[in-house]
Amino acid sequence: MNPSAIFAETLNVTFPVFAMVLLGVALKRLKWIDTAFINTSSALVFRGAMPTLLFLSLIDADMSQALIPSLMAYLALATVASFLLIWWWATRRVVVPEDRGVYVQAAFRGNGGIIGLALAGSMYGQFGLSAGSVLVATLIPLYNVLAVIVLAWYQPQAKTSWRSIGLKILKNPLILSVVAGLSFAASGLALPSWLHTSGEYFANMTLPLALISIGGTMSMTAIREASGVALGASLMKMVWMPTATVLIAWLAGFEGRELVLLFLFLGSPSAAASFVMARAMGGNARLAANTVAITTLASSVTITLGIFILQISGMAG
């Protein structure tokens, strides 16, 4: 297949996902959706629709293919290693101490649960959704714990209850749905056909609604006002860390679908949760918001180019 055909195929995977984000931007500007709608839809996705999607993806999956321990282990190690390297880098660069925690969180915490999962499903269908669901459950505890550690380090006045954090992780609807899905799949039971179909109707609105909500929260003002620190965090999140971790994964023997899934989750834009947590813990919420906006906008280019490079080089199989 020639390069132009490969690039066209890549756009067929990535453009539908990012088109929904841009649609969210347009709908917000047209005032067809507002902040109340975005808050309600985001809560619906997090508490109901996405857990349903993850659960059904797992019970319908061929678990011998979707559950890949080596991929889960590498993703976890790469996330922790990226976190430590970014923290070290923040202390060596011109990042004032009070902003370092926010910088580190924005540069390592990705939106794999929505962008990564949507792209995995777009690229690999049922396998992408199933394997991606397991990877989402791998990342959620790490993101929450590591983010609190670095934010609390630089905002010592913020009150941190590790018991509360642990309970939130254990009660996280996405983690509970993955545990329930894996348990149900292992039991050998089957959902009644009518219930499965109803669940699919509910689950099918997850990614469009989530992506539109992401677009609705994007701020062009935040992008225009972005500082050099926000741009640096964005480059770290979208370019340097995904490139390094995927290259190491390839040298370690990962290839094909596994390598692409790693790239999609490690190269996803900064999570909106990084802004929420930064604000809650007294950090520089504007820096977090700027980085989320920049990386979300830039990811349409960086992820498309990344997949194209992996395919044209033969690394993606």
Side-chain angles (χ1 to χ4, degrees):
M1 190 179 293
N2 62 54
S4 60
I6 293 175
F7 188 69
E9 185 180 282
T10 303
L11 284 178
N12 287 336
V13 171
T14 61
F15 187 75
V17 172
F18 293 110
M20 296 303 292
V21 176
L22 294 176
L23 177 62
V25 175
L27 293 176
K28 182 68 182 297
R29 292 182 70 87
L30 290 169
K31 301 187 185 304
W32 288 13
I33 62 175
D34 56 16
T35 301
F37 171 86
I38 293 168
N39 291 339
T40 301
S41 62
S42 297
L44 177 62
V45 166
F46 178 70
R47 296 173 184 169
M50 183 166 280
T52 304
L53 175 66
L54 298 180
F55 178 81
L56 292 179
S57 297
L58 290 170
I59 68 172
D60 292 340
D62 178 355
M63 296 310 299
S64 65
Q65 293 188 35
L67 195 63
I68 312 171
S70 60
L71 190 66
M72 296 165 62
Y74 183 85
L75 183 63
L77 288 172
T79 299
V80 174
S82 297
F83 168 78
L84 294 174
L85 283 169
I86 293 167
W87 194 345
W88 172 82
W89 181 254
T91 65
R92 297 296 185 271
R93 302 300 295 170
V94 187
V95 180
V96 295
E98 57 267 27
D99 286 350
R100 287 176 186 166
V102 177
Y103 174 93
V104 173
Q105 184 194 206
F108 94 91
R109 186 175 191 169
N111 197 356
I114 297 175
I115 300 290
L117 191 64
L119 288 167
S122 179
M123 192 152 192
Y124 297 122
Q126 183 60 48
F127 168 79
L129 289 174
S130 302
S133 298
V134 178
L135 296 181
V136 168
T138 303
L139 288 172
I140 289 172
L142 284 175
Y143 281 162
N144 281 276
V145 171
L146 296 177
V148 170
I149 288 173
V150 74
L151 288 170
W153 187 277
Y154 292 105
Q155 273 78 40
Q157 74 280 4
K159 294 182 179 180
T160 305
S161 169
W162 290 104
R163 182 175 181 274
S164 174
I165 294 166
L167 287 174
K168 285 181 179 178
I169 292 172
L170 291 175
K171 293 179 179 179
N172 187 296
L174 306 185
I175 290 181
L176 291 175
S177 66
V178 171
V179 172
L182 291 173
S183 301
F184 194 87
S187 71
L189 299 174
L191 284 181
S193 179
W194 67 268
L195 183 57
H196 192 286
T197 302
S198 298
E200 285 183 331
Y201 289 157
F202 187 42
N204 286 343
M205 70 179 184
T206 300
L207 296 176
L209 196 57
L211 294 169
I212 287 172
S213 296
I214 288 173
T217 59
M218 279 183 60
S219 168
M220 296 299 110
T221 301
I223 294 173
R224 288 193 295 269
E225 295 177 351
S227 64
V229 176
L231 291 172
S234 300
L235 279 172
M236 187 70 75
K237 181 71 194 73
M238 301 307 301
V239 179
W240 307 128
M241 280 300 146
T243 299
T245 49
V246 169
L247 182 58
I248 293 170
W250 177 67
L251 294 173
F254 287 97
E255 59 184 4
R257 297 186 300 184
E258 296 178 7
L259 197 64
V260 174
L261 285 174
L262 283 172
F263 170 71
L264 294 179
F265 280 87
L266 292 168
S268 61
S270 295
S274 64
F275 163 74
V276 175
M277 188 169 284
R279 183 174 59 183
M281 296 192 67
N284 187 339
R286 172 172 289 186
L287 172 60
N290 291 351
T291 307
V292 170
I294 294 169
T295 55
T296 301
L297 186 64
S299 62
S300 60
V301 176
T302 56
I303 292 179
T304 299
L305 287 177
I307 294 174
F308 174 68
I309 291 169
L310 288 172
Q311 290 183 321
I312 200 170
S313 66
M315 296 168 69

